[in-house]
Amino acid sequence: MYKIVQTTGGVCASDGFYADGISAGLKKDGALDMAFIYSENECEVASTFTTNKMYAAPIKHFRAKGDFKTNFILINSKNANAMTGQAGFEDIDEVLSNLENVTNPIMSSTGVIGVRLPKEKIINGLKKFDTTKKEPGNASKAIMTTDAFSKEIALNVTLDDGSSFNIGAMAKGAGMINPAMATMLCFITTDADVSKAEMQEILDEVIKTTFNAISVDGDTSTNDTVLLLSNAKSGAYEAEAFKEALFKVMHFLALEMVRDGEGATKLVTYKITGAKDDREAEIVAKKLSDSLLVKTALYGEDPNWGRIASTVGASGVEAYEEKLKISFDNLCVYNRGELLFDAEMEKKCAVIMGHKKFTISCDLGVGEGSFKAYGCDLGYEYVKINADYRT
Amino acid sequence: MYKIVQTTGGVCASDGFYADGISAGLKKDGALDMAFIYSENECEVASTFTTNKMYAAPIKHFRAKGDFKTNFILINSKNANAMTGQAGFEDIDEVLSNLENVTNPIMSSTGVIGVRLPKEKIINGLKKFDTTKKEPGNASKAIMTTDAFSKEIALNVTLDDGSSFNIGAMAKGAGMINPAMATMLCFITTDADVSKAEMQEILDEVIKTTFNAISVDGDTSTNDTVLLLSNAKSGAYEAEAFKEALFKVMHFLALEMVRDGEGATKLVTYKITGAKDDREAEIVAKKLSDSLLVKTALYGEDPNWGRIASTVGASGVEAYEEKLKISFDNLCVYNRGELLFDAEMEKKCAVIMGHKKFTISCDLGVGEGSFKAYGCDLGYEYVKINADYRT
């Protein structure tokens, strides 16, 4: 049996990977705003991008490359290079043409939509890059926009035969709400000896229950990107172990993003069971985690199970009043037609909802479908932040 | 050509209709909380109800009646009689059995979900009803929950031959957000001599561009109800005139509901044109009016057209960066690939967004589909209201 343990080094944990963050003057006060990830060896790349039809120039640029290997990713914050048309696409070519000794470099951006890239600053910034550096903490800080904290993780996987590989990653989340930026970016590096096709297949599967299971503000940005790079340096690989480790990495970062939602005070798991199928369970889970009415009830620590029942009913999936069961953690508040809620139960619920983490379970009693989604509450603070946006 | 003029009397404007509101002790401090609408003649009824699968007991009760005429509607606030199962259904039978000299009475409820009706109070309240009263203002106040003001209207329609009929209505809206209540109810009365089938057909059409075109919090309650009663007393009818007047009545009340969203400071029209078809235009319009990111940008008076473009792209309809055009009122801020926005335009936009009413237009440049939706901003106040909910 393989063994997975946490390690240090973020995106530099894997053999042969380097990263750093620098200040190019895009953010104020000399804050870090540009990062790179570099690999000694050329890497296979697996990827997932936003489903938004207005996907940004960096995503167009990546897709235009076709099949390729790379050893370099350039990332900037403060400007999304989205809605910038052909000019925005050409800006990437121009920026990347200033890089030397790299193969098929990728550019990734996050920030304001509809403004051309500050090319000069970015090109000047490139001169500060030192590809012998392993400073993953700087890189993860440089890609932040409204994130309150940087997000990184690394795991080491030892296989039965004693061989081992690493997976490291960094991510930036969507502020719970921000009129300008709500992009998620995630960069994962590994020295596992995995083929491109298999890596893509595993990424596609793992993303469903990690980044695609979280909701921060229910919107899909123009720039959402997950890139997974493998340089195969370890020579080690085992599919099950790789998949589990990748899940752990992505699940951790996904929950960190929810936890970091602007003004969020609670991380809530929506556990749906008994749906007609997994797809219907997913629809319910996401409807709940996106619902303004549920989110504010969570913030008010109001055990309003009626609002949860109503949201299940509004989701459009097969559901019946007399088959539905609703629980807060292990406390069942409505059981298939039975009104259980009373003053004493309200007190118990209030204790559960006072926690920073809890689970709302809905069993639909219809079939075998299940899904887990993760969301946060919608707090006073985030409107405050946005009310003050222009001042 | 027919002539439509505003008149007084709300749901009592039509000949033979009576209404009043009384206090049954459901709300605190003797506030009005129960209303009736009574007609001398039996009425044909057209109806539309929530699509929520957890639809409330009053809706089950109405549907169980099959085809029928009625002359009485009983409405209570404070309790929705939803998620109350067979017992909730039987509670309605018991309440209505206390009414004398009425035919097939209808009950309609709004308020908290998952609590049995306070039957005794309601049955006692019935004794205060006086069906000779024409007090539509009391009725419209009695059905309010979190509404800041009551909502009613009446129109008189004169046809070419000099004959005339009336349409009157009252409605209650959804608070912008409220953990317990977000139901919309609307009751419309007319003395037009219209057949049940034709009335239903016209209601189904008019609702699409009125109540189904507004968004307050993007949720669909367990109790949403529109009832249209005709007692035919005027003997007058003309389809086009009736449809236009009904549209005016429902459009007015729909916009009043949006204007009364909790904490809302702006009424925004989303005008979508150039979509592949009307259905896709509707999807975009509703995605915009429901978007947290757009709603908070409106509140912050931030002319963030990039967020609008992103939301169009996220809606899933056919759309292209190079074909999209976005305007605030008549000011175009993004024109099919051209970045027009600058500091001067930002100032002009800020003036527009400072108004209580304005229009955001998106032309998708794809086809001939169009739709108009109506929404409000998401203000600081509504979270404040909800943060204080339990204190």
Side-chain angles (χ1 to χ4, degrees), chain A residues 364-379:
Chain A
L364 274 56
V366 173
E368 299 293 319
S370 66
F371 194 81
K372 256 190 219 172
Y374 308 92
C376 49
D377 56 337
L378 188 148

Side-chain angles (χ1 to χ4, degrees), chain A residues 181-384:
Chain A
M181 294 158 271
T183 293
M184 70 140 288
L185 299 179
C186 178
F187 305 96
I188 312 166
T189 55
T190 181
D191 49 14
D193 190 7
V194 54
S195 75
K196 182 185 175 85
E198 190 156 352
M199 191 162 69
Q200 184 69 50
E201 192 183 318
I202 292 173
L203 176 64
D204 289 345
E205 193 177 334
V206 170
I207 205 155
K208 288 181 206 163
T209 53
T210 56
F211 293 124
N212 287 352
I214 59 170
S215 169
V216 173
D217 50 30
D219 241 305
T220 307
S221 102
T222 50
N223 291 55
D224 295 340
T225 295
V226 179
L227 293 178
L228 167 54
L229 270 66
S230 161
N231 66 6
K233 270 208 139 184
S234 72
Y237 180 69
E238 199 270 297
E240 269 312 301
F242 182 78
K243 187 174 157 184
E244 186 178 332
L246 187 64
F247 172 82
K248 281 183 192 293
V249 163
M250 290 169 64
H251 192 259
F252 171 82
L253 292 173
L255 265 59
E256 285 285 279
M257 281 184 199
V258 177
R259 194 164 69 83
D260 193 18
E262 269 176 29
T265 65
K266 293 170 201 311
L267 170 58
V268 181
T269 301
Y270 297 95
K271 186 181 165 192
I272 311 301
T273 52
K276 198 175 84 180
D277 52 36
D278 290 351
R279 177 71 196 132
E280 292 216 337
E282 186 178 343
I283 289 169
V284 173
K286 291 186 174 173
K287 182 90 180 172
L288 284 166
S289 63
D290 280 346
S291 165
L292 268 179
L293 296 164
V294 173
K295 277 160 133 19
T296 48
L298 294 176
Y299 184 68
E301 298 184 3
D302 175 26
N304 197 310
W305 67 268
R307 179 51 53 202
I308 291 165
S310 175
T311 305
V312 171
S315 72
V317 308
E318 190 177 341
Y320 307 92
E321 184 180 336
E322 65 276 15
K323 292 186 180 181
L324 180 66
K325 184 177 169 180
I326 300 173
S327 305
F328 290 77
D329 279 348
N330 292 319
L331 187 68
C332 178
V333 293
Y334 176 79
N335 188 17
R336 311 190 200 287
E338 262 185 281
L339 299 176
L340 303 170
F341 205 72
D342 57 19
E344 199 185 338
M345 189 173 276
E346 185 164 356
K347 273 184 213 162
K348 286 184 191 168
C349 264
V351 172
I352 293 168
M353 297 186 83
H355 297 155
K356 283 194 178 291
K357 274 186 185 184
F358 55 90
T359 297
I360 294 176
S361 304
C362 295
D363 187 286
L364 274 56
V366 173
E368 299 293 319
S370 66
F371 194 81
K372 256 190 219 172
Y374 308 92
C376 49
D377 56 337
L378 188 148
Y380 190 63
E381 275 306 296
Y382 96 85
V383 174
K384 193 169 170 187

Side-chain angles (χ1 to χ4, degrees), chain A residues 52 85 179 300 304 310 316 321 380, chain B residues 52 60 85 179 304 310 321 380 390:
Chain A
N52 194 308
N304 197 310
S310 175
E321 184 180 336
Y380 190 63
Chain B
N52 194 308
K60 291 183 207 171
N304 197 312
S310 176
E321 183 180 335
Y380 191 65
R390 292 179 63 77

